[in-house]
Amino acid sequence: MFRSKTFWAGVVSAVVSGAGVVVWQSGWGWFQEEIAGPPELKVYAMGVLGCHPGYFEQPISSLQKRAAEVRSKGGVRIPTTDEPAVLHTTLQGESGQAIVVTGAEVTVLSSEPLPTTGSVIADECGGGIDERVFDVDFSQSPVTVEPQIRRTANGTTVGRDFPFKVSSGDPEQFTFDLKNIDRDVKFAITLKWVSNGEPGSTTLDNGGRGYRAMGMPSKVTRYPLSSLYPERAGKG
């Protein structure tokens, strides 16, 4: 669908204004969807990101033939113990009137055994900046969403729970850290809010497809990122 320049300018403004947005990502690609909330609230969600291995259904020989595309798409994220996968969302009001975001819930749309064929490719990336981070624990039933308490580089303790106020001049950037995933799962996140005294909710579900992440499939071969470029290795 055609979007006007004004629309895309609003998207860029929302993401830039949300100070928690990650400022650097590797070649692994990301996409963004606009979700309609109440008339005065806009929610933007990126796909599952992070410096993690990515799973692909194809063998390494097929992936090498389209290495650039593989890097841009990134595969299905596999969070590790030290590095959870993340889902970033940016909320911004269209007016100065505050909207109170009261919570977030995770719904597991499907849960399948880990794959036994395909390829797992390692990734490389750098750092980000401080953001409002929530731990999403898939080992719990129902899945829990809890604020992550941590210290920043300058020693400041950060991390707080809902509610948050959102308006045109005061957007919020939420980061959901996906942890303890031992299956191949698809999930959605529902944000709850109150606008003009009326409660409501906005569901982030990747256009109905759900967001996907998985545990490390033990029967699938793992490859370093350099394996996508065998010709370079030969020249070394």
Side-chain angles (χ1 to χ4, degrees):
M1 179 183 297
F2 176 79
R3 298 289 193 182
S4 68
K5 293 182 179 179
T6 302
F7 170 83
W8 288 114
V11 173
V12 173
S13 174
V15 175
V16 172
S17 298
V21 71
V22 169
V23 295
W24 192 97
Q25 287 290 346
S26 72
W28 297 120
W30 58 273
F31 71 94
Q32 184 170 286
E33 57 173 330
E34 180 192 17
I35 306 295
E40 63 274 22
L41 175 67
K42 294 297 180 182
V43 182
Y44 304 94
M46 299 177 185
V48 178
L49 305 172
C51 304
H52 319 90
Y55 169 76
F56 298 85
E57 295 180 353
Q58 300 80 13
I60 187 65
S61 57
S62 297
L63 300 178
Q64 290 169 344
K65 298 176 183 178
R66 51 187 184 89
E69 179 186 358
V70 168
R71 290 218 64 188
S72 67
K73 290 187 176 181
V76 180
R77 289 300 178 188
I78 303 174
T80 64
T81 302
D82 297 328
E83 189 71 34
V86 297
L87 179 67
H88 296 291
T89 65
T90 299
L91 286 72
Q92 186 176 35
E94 292 189 338
S95 69
Q97 180 175 342
I99 299 170
V100 180
V101 184
T102 59
E105 294 181 351
V106 171
T107 301
V108 176
L109 303 178
S110 68
S111 178
E112 303 292 340
L114 295 174
T116 58
T117 60
S119 305
V120 172
I121 307 295
D123 189 18
E124 300 172 356
C125 71
I129 63 177
D130 295 330
E131 50 212 323
R132 300 197 187 280
V133 183
F134 293 85
D135 289 332
V136 180
D137 190 348
F138 281 83
S139 68
Q140 303 298 311
S141 182
V143 178
T144 58
V145 180
E146 300 289 345
Q148 183 181 110
I149 308 300
R150 55 179 179 160
R151 288 190 175 275
T152 63
N154 62 10
T156 304
T157 300
V158 296
R160 52 165 286 196
D161 206 348
F162 294 97
F164 295 92
K165 292 191 299 183
V166 179
S167 65
S168 59
D170 187 20
E172 285 288 355
Q173 173 81 28
F174 298 140
T175 295
F176 297 97
D177 279 6
L178 314 179
K179 298 182 175 182
N180 299 325
I181 301 177
D182 59 5
R183 293 173 64 83
D184 182 350
V185 301
K186 294 180 181 179
F187 66 95
I189 293 182
T190 299
L191 297 171
K192 296 186 176 182
W193 42 260
V194 175
S195 176
N196 290 323
E198 296 293 331
S201 63
T202 299
T203 298
L204 307 173
D205 62 2
N206 189 17
R209 297 181 296 275
Y211 297 102
R212 185 181 178 191
M214 68 171 64
M216 180 64 72
S218 60
K219 297 182 180 180
V220 176
T221 304
R222 301 176 62 179
Y223 299 91
L225 187 61
S226 58
S227 296
L228 290 176
Y229 309 95
E231 67 283 358
R232 297 181 186 177
K235 293 178 181 180

